[in-house]
C-alpha cells in the first residue's frame, strides 16, 4: 500500500506536469489551478509593484489638476488620474487572487519596503510635463503592457487588456498637449522641449535594467509572464517615438540616436544606470515626497475604511436577518 506521504509526492508531480502543460500550450493559469510557489511569488512581486506604480503615479500629475490651463485640460487630467487609481484597483485585485491581502501590499508600500516604478520619482515643474508624461511615460507603459495582456496568469492578463485601452487614450492626450505647445509661442515650444529632455531618459529606464543585468527576465519569459526582454521593448519604444517626435517637431535628447540598418535596431547612447540605481535605492528627486504623501493619504483615508467596514457589517447583519 502507498504511504500517504508518497501519495502527496505523486499528486504534486501530476500538478506540476499539468502546470507545465498549460504553459507549453500557451494557455492561461487560473487562481483555482495548482502553481509552483516561485511562479506565485513572481506574480505577486510584479503585479503588486505594478499596482503601487499606478497609485504613486497619480501624484506627479495630480500636482497640476488645480493649475491646468483650461477647463477642458482640467477635466481630461482629472479623468486620467482617476483612471490610474482604477488601474491600481484592478491590479491589487489580481494580486489578491494569488493569496496576498490588499492590507499587506499597502503596508509594504507605505513602509517603503515595496518597489514601484522609478519614473514616478521625478518632478513636474511645468504644464508641459503633463504632455511629456502622457506621451513618454504612458507610451512606455503601453509598449511594456500590451504584451502583458497575454501573460499566462489569467487575472493579470485580463486586467491588462482594460488598462491598455485606457493607456492608449492617455498617450494620445499627452501627444496632443505637446503638439499644441509646439505649435504655440517660442516660450511654449521651449517648455515642451525641456519637458521631453527631462522625461526621455527616465522613460527609457522604465523598461528595467539591460537584459544581461535582469535577474528575473529569463524565468518570467519561460513562464509566459513576460513576452519580450527589457531591451527588446526599449528598442520598440524608441522606434515608436522617432516618427512621432518628427511630427511634433521635438528633438529626442540623444545625439547618438540613429537607425542601424545592418542590425535592424536603433543605436543609442548608454543609459545612465547609476541614476536608475540611485532612484531605486530611494535617492531620486522625489522619492521621499512620494512616500510621505502616500502615508498621509493613507492616514487621512482611515475614516473612509472604517465607514466602509461598518457599512459592510450592517449589510451582512441585514442579510442574515432576512435569511
Ligand atoms: N522601476 O529582473 P528585472 C505606468 C526592478 S505603470 C523600479 O528586469 P522584471 C502607468 C525589478 O522590479 C509603470 N524598479 O525585473 C502610468 C527587479 O526588482 P525585484 C509600471 C524596477 O520584473 C502612467 C529589479 O529591478 N509598470 O507607467 C524598474 O523582470 C502614467 C530587476 O529587474 C509595470 O510595473 C523600474 N523601472 O522586469 C501610471 C509593468 N525596472 O522585484 C501613472 C509590469 C526594474 O527583483 C501615470 N512590470 N525594476 O526586487 C514589468 O513589466 C516588469 O516588472 C519590469 C521589470 C519590466 C518593470
Amino acid at each position: 500500500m502507498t504511504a500517504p506521504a508518497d501519495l502527496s509526492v505523486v499528486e504534486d508531480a501530476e500538478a506540476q506536469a499539468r502546470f507545465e502543460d498549460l504553459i507549453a500550450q500557451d494557455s492561461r493559469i487560473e487562481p483555482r489551478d495548482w502553481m509552483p510557489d516561485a511562479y506565485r511569488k513572481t506574480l505577486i512581486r510584479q503585479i503588486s509593484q505594478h499596482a503601487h506604480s499606478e497609485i504613486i503615479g497619480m501624484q506627479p500629475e495630480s500636482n497640476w489638476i488645480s493649475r491646468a490651463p483650461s477647463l477642458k485640460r482640467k477635466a481630461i487630467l482629472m479623468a486620467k488620474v482617476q483612471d490610474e487609481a482604477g488601474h491600481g484597483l484592478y491590479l491589487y485585485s489580481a494580486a489578491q487572487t494569488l493569496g496576498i491581502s490588499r492590507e499587506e501590499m499597502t503596508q509594504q508600500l507605505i513602509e517603503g519596503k515595496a518597489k514601484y516604478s522609478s519614473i514616478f520619482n521625478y518632478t513636474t515643474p511645468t504644464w508641459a510635463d503633463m504632455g511629456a508624461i502622457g506621451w513618454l511615460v504612458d507610451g512606455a507603459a503601453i509598449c511594456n503592457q500590451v504584451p502583458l495582456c497575454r501573460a499566462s496568469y489569467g487575472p493579470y492578463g485580463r486586467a491588462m487588456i482594460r488598462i491598455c485601452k485606457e493607456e492608449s487614450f492617455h498617450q494620445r492626450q499627452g501627444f496632443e498637449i505637446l503638439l499644441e505647445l509646439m505649435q504655440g509661442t517660442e516660450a511654449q515650444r521651449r517648455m515642451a522641449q525641456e519637458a521631453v529632455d527631462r522625461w526621455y531618459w527616465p522613460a527609457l529606464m522604465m523598461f528595467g535594467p539591460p537584459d544581461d543585468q535582469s535577474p528575473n527576465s529569463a524565468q518570467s519569459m519561460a513562464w509566459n509572464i513576460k513576452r519580450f526582454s527589457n531591451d527588446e521593448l526599449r528598442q520598440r519604444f524608441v522606434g515608436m517615438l522617432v516618427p512621432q517626435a518628427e511630427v511634433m517637431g521635438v528633438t529626442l535628447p540623444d545625439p547618438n540616436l540613429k537607425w542601424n540598418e545592418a542590425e535592424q535596431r536603433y543605436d543609442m547612447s548608454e543609459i545612465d544606470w547609476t541614476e536608475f540605481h540611485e532612484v531605486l535605492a530611494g535617492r531620486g528627486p522625489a522619492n521621499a515626497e512620494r512616500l510621505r504623501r502616500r502615508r498621509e493619504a493613507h492616514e487621512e483615508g482611515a475614516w473612509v475604511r472604517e465607514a466602509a467596514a461598518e457599512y459592510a457589517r450592517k449589510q451582512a447583519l441585514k442579510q442574515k436577518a432576512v435569511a
Side-chain angles (χ1 to χ4, degrees), residues 65 68 70-82 127 169:
I65 290 177
S70 69
L71 185 58
K72 178 184 130 187
R73 292 291 180 199
K74 189 197 280 278
I76 294 172
L77 192 58
M78 278 171 68
K80 180 180 191 292
V81 173
Q82 280 179 356
W127 169 253
F169 156 76

Side-chain angles (χ1 to χ4, degrees), residues 110-243:
I110 61 180
E111 285 174 7
K113 291 181 184 155
K115 284 200 174 79
Y116 58 85
S117 182
S118 50
I119 194 75
F120 302 116
N121 294 305
Y122 291 84
T123 57
T124 46
T126 72
W127 169 253
D129 291 299
M130 299 305 97
I133 290 184
W135 184 47
L136 294 170
V137 177
D138 287 282
I142 291 169
C143 263
N144 168 264
Q145 292 171 19
V146 166
L148 291 174
C149 296
R150 293 190 291 121
S152 56
Y153 188 57
Y156 190 30
R158 287 189 288 274
M160 292 316 306
I161 292 171
R162 189 145 174 202
I163 291 176
C164 284
K165 284 190 183 149
E166 293 176 356
E167 297 292 20
S168 60
F169 156 76
H170 294 172
Q171 195 261 353
R172 276 175 229 169
Q173 67 87 40
F175 179 89
E176 203 244 340
I177 289 176
L178 288 179
L179 184 67
E180 195 170 294
L181 289 173
M182 288 306 288
Q183 291 168 350
T185 63
E186 178 53 35
Q188 285 172 322
R189 280 197 292 278
R190 198 168 49 245
M191 183 166 72
Q193 181 62 55
E194 284 171 2
V196 170
D197 293 349
R198 265 194 294 281
W199 290 88
Y200 178 74
W201 290 108
L204 292 189
M205 293 175 199
M206 283 175 73
F207 295 91
D211 291 350
D212 58 2
Q213 290 160 43
S214 163
N216 302 301
S217 278
Q219 183 59 77
S220 289
M221 287 173 80
W223 278 328
N224 295 341
I225 297 171
K226 281 170 94 161
R227 299 285 177 159
F228 298 97
S229 76
N230 298 354
D231 287 332
E232 281 169 344
L233 291 172
R234 211 176 341 261
Q235 275 286 331
R236 191 180 276 205
F237 177 54
V238 171
M240 184 188 97
L241 292 183
V242 168

Side-chain angles (χ1 to χ4, degrees), residues 197 200-201 204 238 251-258 267-271:
D197 293 349
Y200 178 74
W201 290 108
L204 292 189
V238 171
T251 306
L252 297 175
D254 180 359
N256 297 314
L257 183 64
K258 185 161 101 263
D267 289 333
M268 47 178 113
S269 303
E270 181 64 22
I271 292 175

